[in-house]
C-alpha cells in the first residue's frame, strides 16, 4: 500500500465525510446545547480510547505535568485529551492528526469550549512531523500507534521534537502472545492498517533510540474487565451512534464492548490478544537527545 492509499484508508476508518454534523446531532440527542459546551460534555464523543476520560485523567496524573508545558498529542483525533490537558492542567497543546476531517471537527469543538488559544490542530504525518527539533516538553499518545507500521521512524521523530529531558507519555495497544488477532478490531477492519508490536519490542526500540524508561504499567486485566462488564445481559449504556465505522470510538469510550460486532464472544478474542500499557518514558539528557 503506497502512502496515499494508506492515508486514505486510515482517514476513512476514523472519519465519515459528515462527522461534524453527526457530532452536533449526537450532542443534541444527548441533551447538550452545542452553543454552550464544556470540555466534559464531549467526553463520550472525543475520548477515543479504552477507559474514556478517566483513563486520560489517570495518565495525566502519571505524566508530571506543569502549567504552561508545551505538549504534542500525536494522532490526537478530535482532540479530547488535548482539551483536557489544556483545561485541567493548563498545558499548551498541539494535536498532530493524519485525518483532515478530524482536524476540522476538532478545531470546531475546541472553539465551542473556548480553548482555541491553548489547543491547536496540525494536519500531518507522525512519520514526518512539521515541527522543529526540541519544540515540545512532552509528547502524548493514546491509542494512536496501532495504525503505524514504521514504529522506529515514529519514535525517532518523537525523540527529535522533544527537548532534552522531555517526556513521552503513552497509553497504547500492543501485541499479545496469541497472533494473529481476529478482525475487525476498533482500530482496523483488517490487517492492512493494523501494526501491533509486543511490549518487549516496543521497549527495546525506545531504549535503542535514547529513551529511558520511568514507569510501565500493564493494563491487560482492566481491559478484559471492561469488556466483560459490557457482555450481553450486562448493563448497557445507550449512546448516540455517530461514527460509520466500528472503531471510531465516537459511539462509546468503552470500545472493547463490541469491536465491530454485537457479541462479546467476538470482542474478547479480538481485544484479549493485545493489551494496553500506560507508559511514562523520559528522554535522556545526553548530547543529541531531543534534537
Amino acid at each position: 500500500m503506497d502512502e496515499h492509499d494508506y492515508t486514505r484508508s486510515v482517514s476513512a476508518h476514523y472519519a465519515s465525510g459528515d462527522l461534524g454534523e453527526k457530532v452536533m446531532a449526537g450532542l443534541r440527542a444527548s441533551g447538550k446545547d452545542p452553543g454552550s459546551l464544556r470540555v466534559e460534555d464531549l467526553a463520550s464523543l472525543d475520548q477515543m480510547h479504552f477507559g474514556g476520560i478517566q483513563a486520560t485523567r489517570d495518565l495525566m496524573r502519571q505524566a508530571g505535568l506543569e502549567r504552561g508545558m508545551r505538549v504534542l498529542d500525536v494522532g490526537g483525533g478530535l482532540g479530547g485529551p488535548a482539551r483536557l490537558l489544556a483545561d485541567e492542567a493548563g498545558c499548551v497543546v498541539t494535536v498532530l492528526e493524519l485525518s483532515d476531517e478530524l482536524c476540522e471537527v476538532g478545531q470546531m469543538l475546541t472553539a465551542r469550549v473556548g480553548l482555541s488559544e491553548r489547543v491547536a490542530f496540525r494536519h500531518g504525518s507522525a512519520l514526518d512531523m512539521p515541527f522543529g527539533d526540541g519544540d515540545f516538553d512532552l509528547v502524548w499518545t493514546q491509542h494512536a500507534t496501532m495504525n503505524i507500521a514504521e514504529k522506529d521512524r515514529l519514535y525517532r521523530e518523537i525523540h527529535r521534537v522533544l527537548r532534552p529531558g522531555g517526556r513521552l507519555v503513552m497509553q497504547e495497544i500492543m501485541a499479545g502472545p496469541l497472533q494473529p488477532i481476529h478482525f475487525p478490531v476498533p482500530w482496523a477492519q483488517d490487517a492492512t492498517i493494523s501494526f501491533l508490536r509486543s511490549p518487549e519490542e516496543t521497549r527495546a526500540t525506545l531504549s535503542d533510540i535514547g529513551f529511558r524508561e520511568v514507569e510501565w504499567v500493564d493494563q491487560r486485566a482492566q481491559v478484559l474487565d471492561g469488556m466483560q462488564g459490557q457482555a450481553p445481559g450486562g448493563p448497557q449504556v445507550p449512546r448516540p451512534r455517530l461514527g460509520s465505522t466500528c472503531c471510531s470510538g465516537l459511539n462509546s469510550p468503552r470500545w472493547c464492548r463490541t469491536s465491530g460486532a454485537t457479541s462479546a464472544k467476538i470482542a474478547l478474542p479480538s481485544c484479549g490478544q493485545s493489551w494496553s500499557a500506560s507508559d511514562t518514558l523520559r528522554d535522556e539528557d545526553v548530547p543529541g537527545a531531543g534534537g
Side-chain angles (χ1 to χ4, degrees):
M1 184 183 297
D2 63 25
E3 185 175 350
H4 175 75
D5 288 341
Y6 166 80
T7 299
R8 183 175 58 186
S9 296
V10 173
S11 297
H13 185 71
Y14 293 102
S16 61
D18 58 353
L19 186 58
E21 296 175 11
K22 290 181 177 179
V23 167
M24 289 297 100
L27 288 168
R28 294 186 186 98
S30 63
K32 306 297 183 185
D33 177 6
S36 181
L37 291 172
R38 302 172 303 159
V39 170
E40 286 197 354
D41 292 335
L42 304 174
S44 65
L45 312 178
D46 65 5
Q47 300 286 336
M48 299 165 65
H49 48 264
F50 170 76
I53 194 171
Q54 187 57 51
T56 302
R57 286 181 170 138
D58 290 345
L59 201 58
M60 287 170 64
R61 281 192 286 271
Q62 293 176 274
L65 299 171
E66 297 177 9
R67 182 166 292 276
M69 185 173 276
R70 302 165 300 164
V71 177
L72 174 64
D73 184 356
V74 176
L78 291 174
R83 285 185 288 273
L84 204 67
L85 285 162
D87 187 53
E88 297 188 0
C91 298
V92 178
V93 189
T94 300
V95 177
L96 179 63
E97 173 55 49
L98 187 65
S99 165
D100 54 357
E101 184 179 16
L102 290 180
C103 284
E104 292 170 6
V105 178
Q107 287 173 331
M108 178 267 290
L109 293 174
T110 300
R112 286 181 178 271
V113 297
L115 287 173
S116 294
E117 292 186 0
R118 282 187 280 168
V119 179
F121 286 75
R122 288 289 298 270
H123 177 226
S125 170
L127 301 180
D128 186 18
M129 297 185 184
F131 308 112
D133 297 355
D135 276 355
F136 297 96
D137 303 306
L138 184 143
V139 173
W140 176 283
T141 78
Q142 276 186 283
H143 291 193
T145 67
M146 301 90 68
N147 300 118
I148 299 175
E150 298 179 74
K151 298 289 197 294
D152 296 50
R153 184 176 169 189
L154 165 68
Y155 291 126
R156 288 188 187 281
E157 275 292 272
I158 289 174
H159 191 285
R160 180 183 66 79
V161 302
L162 275 171
R163 65 168 175 80
R167 181 170 289 194
L168 165 62
V169 180
M170 53 193 271
Q171 178 191 31
E172 293 295 338
I173 304 296
M174 298 186 186
L178 302 179
Q179 297 295 319
I181 62 175
H182 300 290
F183 291 97
V185 289
W187 58 92
Q189 290 289 334
D190 55 48
T192 59
I193 59 169
S194 177
F195 309 101
L196 301 185
R197 280 195 184 180
S198 70
E200 294 77 18
E201 291 176 302
T202 302
R203 295 167 93 172
T205 296
L206 290 165
S207 178
D208 289 345
I209 288 171
F211 288 98
R212 177 173 58 86
E213 184 175 314
V214 175
E215 185 176 12
W216 186 277
V217 180
D218 180 348
Q219 292 184 322
R220 175 165 29 185
Q222 293 96 310
V223 171
L224 293 175
D225 287 346
M227 290 187 292
Q228 291 167 343
Q230 294 285 340
Q236 302 293 318
V237 181
R239 294 182 175 88
R241 182 170 179 79
L242 304 180
S244 60
T245 67
C246 70
C247 63
S248 67
L250 294 174
N251 50 323
S252 170
R254 301 191 74 172
W255 44 258
C256 283
R257 179 167 63 108
T258 61
S259 290
T262 57
S263 168
K265 290 183 179 179
I266 296 176
L268 283 168
S270 298
C271 295
Q273 293 169 4
S274 59
W275 55 279
S276 295
S278 293
D279 323 304
T280 307
L281 301 157
R282 180 172 294 151
D283 201 5
E284 287 197 83
D285 193 359
V286 297

